[in-house]
Protein backbone atom coordinates (compact mmCIF):
# COMPACT_ATOMS: atom_id res chain seq x y z
CA UNK A 1 0.00 0.00 0.00
CA UNK A 2 1.77 3.09 -1.30
CA UNK A 3 -0.16 5.65 0.78
CA UNK A 4 0.72 3.80 4.00
CA UNK A 5 4.38 3.71 2.91
CA UNK A 6 4.29 7.48 2.31
CA UNK A 7 2.67 8.10 5.69
CA UNK A 8 5.45 6.11 7.37
CA UNK A 9 8.14 8.20 5.67
CA UNK A 10 6.35 11.41 6.65
CA UNK A 11 6.07 10.12 10.24
CA UNK A 12 9.84 9.53 10.25
CA UNK A 13 10.41 13.06 9.01
CA UNK A 14 8.15 14.41 11.77
CA UNK A 15 10.16 12.42 14.38
CA UNK A 16 13.36 14.11 13.19
CA UNK A 17 11.72 17.55 13.28
CA UNK A 18 10.28 16.85 16.73
CA UNK A 19 13.74 15.87 18.03
CA UNK A 20 15.14 19.07 16.57
CA UNK A 21 12.75 21.26 18.59
CA UNK A 22 13.65 19.63 21.94
CA UNK A 23 15.24 22.13 24.28
CA UNK A 24 14.58 25.10 21.98
CA UNK A 25 12.32 27.56 23.75
CA UNK A 26 11.72 29.60 20.61
CA UNK A 27 10.44 26.56 18.67
CA UNK A 28 6.91 25.22 19.08
CA UNK A 29 5.81 22.67 16.51
CA UNK A 30 2.66 20.58 16.66
CA UNK A 31 1.70 17.70 14.40
CA UNK A 32 -1.94 18.08 13.37
CA UNK A 33 -3.80 14.83 12.86
CA UNK A 34 -6.92 15.84 10.98
CA UNK A 35 -9.34 13.70 9.09
CA UNK A 36 -12.02 16.37 9.43
CA UNK A 37 -10.51 19.24 7.43
CA UNK A 38 -9.60 18.49 3.83
CA UNK A 39 -6.19 19.84 2.89
CA UNK A 40 -4.95 21.12 6.24
CA UNK A 41 -1.13 20.82 6.54
CA UNK A 42 0.61 18.33 8.85
CA UNK A 43 2.35 20.75 11.18
CA UNK A 44 1.51 24.04 12.83
CA UNK A 45 4.67 25.75 13.98
CA UNK A 46 6.04 28.85 15.58
CA UNK A 47 9.76 29.63 15.43
CA UNK A 48 11.12 32.80 17.03
CA UNK A 49 7.71 34.47 17.01
CA UNK A 50 6.86 33.58 13.39
CA UNK A 51 3.96 31.19 12.93
CA UNK A 52 3.57 29.01 9.87
CA UNK A 53 2.07 25.79 8.52
CA UNK A 54 4.11 22.97 7.02
CA UNK A 55 3.05 20.09 4.81
CA UNK A 56 5.37 17.08 5.07
CA UNK A 57 6.01 15.02 1.97
CA UNK A 58 8.37 12.18 1.08
CA UNK A 59 7.83 11.78 -2.64
CA UNK A 60 9.19 12.25 -6.13
CA UNK A 61 5.63 12.66 -7.48
CA UNK A 62 4.66 15.58 -9.69
CA UNK A 63 3.68 18.63 -7.60
CA UNK A 64 4.68 16.68 -4.46
CA UNK A 65 1.54 14.54 -4.80
CA UNK A 66 -0.62 17.33 -3.33
CA UNK A 67 -4.39 16.92 -3.54
CA UNK A 68 -6.57 19.70 -4.94
CA UNK A 69 -7.81 20.26 -1.36
CA UNK A 70 -4.24 20.79 -0.16
CA UNK A 71 -3.45 23.16 -3.03
CA UNK A 72 -6.60 25.21 -2.30
CA UNK A 73 -5.83 25.34 1.44
CA UNK A 74 -2.31 26.63 0.69
CA UNK A 75 -3.59 29.24 -1.77
CA UNK A 76 -6.35 30.50 0.57
CA UNK A 77 -3.96 30.71 3.52
CA UNK A 78 -1.35 32.61 1.50
CA UNK A 79 -3.98 34.99 0.13
CA UNK A 80 -4.96 35.84 3.72
CA UNK A 81 -1.31 36.69 4.46
CA UNK A 82 -0.33 33.43 6.14
CA UNK A 83 2.83 31.39 5.66
CA UNK A 84 2.49 27.79 4.48
CA UNK A 85 5.29 25.66 3.06
CA UNK A 86 6.00 22.11 1.95
CA UNK A 87 8.99 20.17 3.23
CA UNK A 88 9.70 17.32 0.85
CA UNK A 89 12.30 14.70 1.75
CA UNK A 90 11.93 13.07 -1.69
CA UNK A 91 11.55 9.31 -1.90
CA UNK A 92 15.25 8.87 -1.15
CA UNK A 93 14.85 10.63 2.25
CA UNK A 94 18.24 12.27 1.63
CA UNK A 95 17.29 15.19 -0.60
CA UNK A 96 15.42 17.85 1.36
CA UNK A 97 13.57 20.64 -0.38
CA UNK A 98 11.40 23.52 0.81
CA UNK A 99 8.58 24.51 -1.54
CA UNK A 100 5.62 26.86 -1.74
CA UNK A 101 2.39 26.69 -3.76
CA UNK A 102 2.08 29.62 -6.17
CA UNK A 103 -1.10 31.11 -7.71
CA UNK A 104 -0.85 28.58 -10.56
CA UNK A 105 -1.33 25.79 -8.01
CA UNK A 106 2.19 24.54 -8.68
CA UNK A 107 4.73 23.82 -5.93
CA UNK A 108 7.79 25.99 -6.54
CA UNK A 109 11.12 25.21 -4.82
CA UNK A 110 12.28 27.93 -2.43
CA UNK A 111 15.35 26.22 -1.06
CA UNK A 112 17.26 22.97 -1.40
CA UNK A 113 19.45 21.23 1.13
CA UNK A 114 23.20 21.47 0.63
CA UNK A 115 24.79 18.05 0.03
CA UNK A 116 27.83 19.11 2.08
CA UNK A 117 25.76 19.45 5.29
CA UNK A 118 24.29 16.73 7.46
CA UNK A 119 20.58 15.86 7.20
CA UNK A 120 19.95 17.36 10.66
CA UNK A 121 21.78 20.61 9.81
CA UNK A 122 19.84 20.92 6.56
CA UNK A 123 16.58 20.18 8.36
CA UNK A 124 17.34 22.88 10.93
CA UNK A 125 18.14 25.48 8.24
CA UNK A 126 15.05 24.64 6.15
CA UNK A 127 12.74 24.75 9.20
CA UNK A 128 13.95 28.27 10.00
CA UNK A 129 13.46 29.26 6.34
CA UNK A 130 9.96 27.73 6.41
CA UNK A 131 8.97 30.13 9.18
CA UNK A 132 10.11 33.24 7.31
CA UNK A 133 7.51 35.18 5.31
CA UNK A 134 7.99 36.09 1.67
Amino acid sequence: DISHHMATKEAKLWKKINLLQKGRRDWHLTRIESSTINGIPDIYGCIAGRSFWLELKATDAKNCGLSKFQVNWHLNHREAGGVVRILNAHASQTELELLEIRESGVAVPLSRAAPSRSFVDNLHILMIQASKPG
Side-chain angles (χ1 to χ4, degrees):
D1 179 26
I2 196 140
S3 64
H4 173 72
H5 184 63
M6 290 268 303
T8 311
K9 285 187 164 183
E10 287 157 16
K12 275 186 187 158
L13 188 55
W14 163 244
K15 275 193 176 135
K16 288 173 182 167
I17 291 168
N18 200 22
L19 272 175
L20 206 54
Q21 76 168 328
K22 296 245 185 295
R24 291 177 204 269
R25 287 185 171 194
D26 62 345
W27 284 44
H28 181 239
L29 305 164
T30 307
R31 179 127 193 228
I32 307 294
E33 301 283 351
S34 175
S35 53
T36 52
I37 304 164
N38 266 330
I40 195 164
D42 301 306
I43 293 172
Y44 176 73
C46 186
I47 293 179
R50 297 182 302 266
S51 43
F52 65 103
W53 286 90
L54 191 67
E55 180 65 43
L56 297 182
K57 290 290 183 186
T59 182
D60 292 324
K62 190 174 188 284
N63 217 32
C64 295
L66 292 164
S67 72
K68 67 175 196 290
F69 297 110
Q70 288 173 314
V71 169
N72 286 336
W73 199 100
H74 282 234
L75 290 173
N76 292 337
H77 194 71
R78 275 195 60 204
E79 203 174 299
V83 175
V84 58
R85 302 284 157 71
I86 303 150
L87 183 68
N88 187 16
H90 288 269
S92 63
Q93 286 274 300
T94 53
E95 204 184 322
L96 275 175
E97 194 174 33
L98 189 68
L99 306 99
E100 181 177 69
I101 294 285
R102 292 287 155 85
E103 286 71 17
S104 60
V106 175
V108 177
L110 297 175
S111 190
R112 280 195 173 92
S116 57
R117 287 192 296 257
S118 73
F119 186 88
V120 171
D121 284 350
N122 276 316
L123 191 57
H124 180 249
I125 290 161
L126 291 185
M127 288 302 296
I128 288 169
Q129 284 178 343
S131 73
K132 291 183 176 167

